[in-house]
Amino acid sequence: MNKAKSTRELQNKLQKALHFIWQPIDAWLLYAMLAIYIMSMFLLYSADGQTFGQLENKTVHTVIGFILLWIIAWQQPKTLSKFALPIYIAGVLMLVGVELFGITVNGSTRWLDLGFTRIQPSEIMKIGLPMTIAWFLQRYEDRLCWFHYLAALLITAVPVTLILKQPDLGTAVLIMASGMFVIFFAGLPWKIILLALAGFAASLPLIWNYGLHDYQRTRILTLLDPTKDPLGAGYHILQSMIAIGSGGVWGKGWLNGSQTHLDYIPEATTDFILAAYGEEFGLVGNLLLLLVYLLILGRGLYIAAQADSLYSRTLAAALTMTFFCYAFVNMGMVSGILPVVGVPLPLVSYGGTATLSVMIILAILMGISKERKDQAQSQTENNKEQFRNH
């Protein structure tokens, strides 16, 4: 009898422990992340010349990411909003540090060397910028006017300008988009949006002549016809398109990508990892990966739609769209429909800071989802209590 009682107590403790671990986790997002992670492990091993170096590093970053994910997912959005401004300020200061003391790689200065590791501060702004704008607009929710939207644009302009100076046009545009998503979901009038688009269109000649570096203009022109310079500016696009095309419908099979293993694909484990994936797993593999990304997009927007506060709603929607934009831009770049920019494929490409920033984005979405579940559970318990009292 005592043995049976001890067994039941142990089972109850295990159930409580599992419930405690699982409680902040959104199952849809977790399963999607795990599917991408498992696929990326096989892909990195192949793209890195069948060695374990980058695979081991990515595993370490992913484990750290899951620990952070679980801790952050437990936090209420209101609690996280208190860290928005400090994260933003720290990110801006680190971007200034990149300008003064940054490490230059391949002609771009984007990293800070902390001794034990390198970090890319622009990745921090993926999270810090939308959090700060959502926090700022939440403070004036009942009286938002043009002045507050203008202030939000200025908050966006500071890190974007610093990132443009690195230079990193692709990341700057995407981080600017993350800020604009928050402003849009906060209720920016369509009249202003249309006027802004018209002004942007009218300024394109000035941007082309005075706002872009020579290599950036070359990338855009190369997009239109990469065969004009097949061994120079067009090399990246042509080789990635050859790799994806040679994969066909079903792919050449794992470890059988000739373009990848003969080093024709540049940056095969980072920016152009999708080309290696397309060569080995084909159209079917690409469609499955796209389906998982769409699942994350749909789940993130659902979480945003169910959120109660302006802060949670705008932040969830903006982070979801930011995640998807990074995936879309990378896929478009590798397949030759967008200019080549330094944007990794979320959760797939090798890179510690990029992996951690994406997992923090998903953790914040889980925290917003948990807030809604807690409120629904509390309401259910209140209804039961009222029913018992009657």
Side-chain angles (χ1 to χ4, degrees):
M1 192 73 179
N2 291 331
K3 185 176 181 181
K5 183 178 179 181
S6 299
T7 302
R8 285 196 300 270
E9 289 178 351
L10 180 61
Q11 289 176 343
N12 290 333
K13 289 180 180 179
L14 288 174
Q15 288 177 353
K16 289 180 180 179
L18 288 173
H19 177 72
F20 178 74
I21 294 171
W22 187 260
Q23 188 176 349
I25 302 299
D26 184 275
W28 290 99
L29 294 178
L30 177 66
Y31 293 147
M33 291 168 60
L34 288 175
I36 295 175
Y37 170 72
I38 292 170
M39 178 276 296
S40 70
M41 290 294 98
F42 287 95
L43 185 58
L44 268 180
Y45 177 75
S46 176
D48 195 31
Q50 301 181 35
T51 61
F52 289 94
Q54 292 192 0
L55 190 149
E56 290 173 352
N57 289 336
K58 184 177 176 67
T59 300
V60 171
H61 294 140
T62 304
V63 170
I64 295 172
F66 271 112
I67 295 171
L68 286 174
L69 181 144
W70 188 80
I71 294 172
I72 294 172
W74 263 107
Q75 309 306 313
Q76 292 287 332
K78 289 182 180 179
T79 303
L80 291 178
S81 69
K82 298 176 183 178
F83 296 94
L85 189 59
I87 292 173
Y88 175 84
I89 293 173
V92 169
L93 290 176
M94 282 190 282
L95 287 172
V96 173
V98 169
E99 181 70 19
L100 298 175
F101 316 108
I103 299 171
T104 302
V105 179
N106 295 331
S108 296
T109 307
R110 303 175 185 175
W111 293 267
L112 276 178
D113 191 348
L114 301 182
F116 59 93
T117 188
R118 290 182 182 181
I119 62 170
Q120 189 174 351
S122 59
E123 293 290 331
I124 296 173
M125 298 311 298
K126 285 183 185 178
I127 304 160
L129 180 61
M131 283 183 67
T132 302
I133 296 177
W135 164 81
F136 174 76
L137 295 177
Q138 168 77 16
R139 297 178 65 194
Y140 306 99
E141 179 179 0
D142 298 328
R143 54 186 189 278
L144 284 175
C145 64
W146 68 269
F147 173 79
H148 300 111
Y149 293 120
L150 179 61
L153 288 175
L154 293 175
I155 293 172
T156 304
V158 174
V160 169
T161 302
L162 291 170
I163 294 169
L164 282 173
K165 294 190 69 176
Q166 293 181 357
D168 190 353
L169 178 62
T171 302
V173 170
L174 288 170
I175 287 178
M176 180 177 68
S178 71
M180 295 303 297
F181 285 137
V182 180
I183 297 171
F184 171 77
F185 288 115
L188 183 67
W190 278 103
K191 183 186 295 186
I192 297 178
I193 294 173
L194 294 175
L195 286 173
L197 290 174
F200 174 74
S203 64
L204 282 177
L206 292 175
I207 294 174
W208 178 263
N209 289 316
Y210 303 106
L212 298 178
H213 294 270
D214 290 338
Y215 79 92
Q216 291 167 342
R217 285 192 288 267
T218 301
R219 285 181 178 179
I220 295 173
L221 293 174
T222 301
L223 173 68
L224 302 176
D225 185 9
T227 59
K228 283 187 176 181
D229 190 7
L231 299 179
Y235 181 81
H236 291 64
I237 296 177
L238 288 174
Q239 294 302 322
S240 64
M241 291 172 65
I242 290 170
I244 293 173
S246 65
V249 176
W250 299 103
K252 296 178 179 179
W254 184 49
L255 304 179
N256 292 324
S258 56
Q259 292 290 115
T260 303
H261 296 152
L262 294 174
D263 292 332
Y264 283 106
I265 301 176
E267 308 295 339
T269 62
T270 53
D271 294 348
F272 282 84
I273 196 168
L274 184 67
Y277 178 72
E279 183 180 25
E280 296 192 356
F281 296 96
L283 176 63
V284 173
N286 283 329
L287 289 177
L288 288 174
L289 178 61
L290 181 60
L291 190 63
V292 177
Y293 280 140
L294 289 174
L295 172 63
I296 295 175
L297 172 67
R299 185 61 182 171
L301 292 179
Y302 175 80
I303 291 171
Q306 296 296 310
D308 291 327
S309 67
L310 177 68
Y311 175 81
S312 297
R313 185 168 60 253
T314 55
L315 181 60
L319 290 178
T320 301
M321 293 305 300
T322 299
F323 173 89
F324 188 73
C325 279
Y326 270 79
F328 175 79
V329 168
N330 181 276
M331 290 178 167
M333 171 188 79
V334 173
S335 58
I337 63 174
L338 291 175
V340 174
V341 291
V343 175
L345 188 61
L347 296 175
V348 179
S349 295
Y350 174 77
T353 311
T355 298
L356 292 176
S357 65
V358 170
M359 296 189 76
I360 290 172
I361 285 174
L362 297 177
I364 293 172
L365 290 176
M366 289 185 183
I368 294 172
S369 176
K370 178 180 177 296
E371 178 188 42
R372 179 64 177 174
K373 287 189 292 186
D374 289 346
Q375 290 173 349
Q377 183 178 356
S378 177
Q379 184 63 40
T380 301
E381 291 175 355
N382 289 337
N383 291 339
K384 289 180 179 178
E385 183 66 27
Q386 291 176 2
F387 180 76
R388 284 194 294 267
N389 291 335
H390 285 298

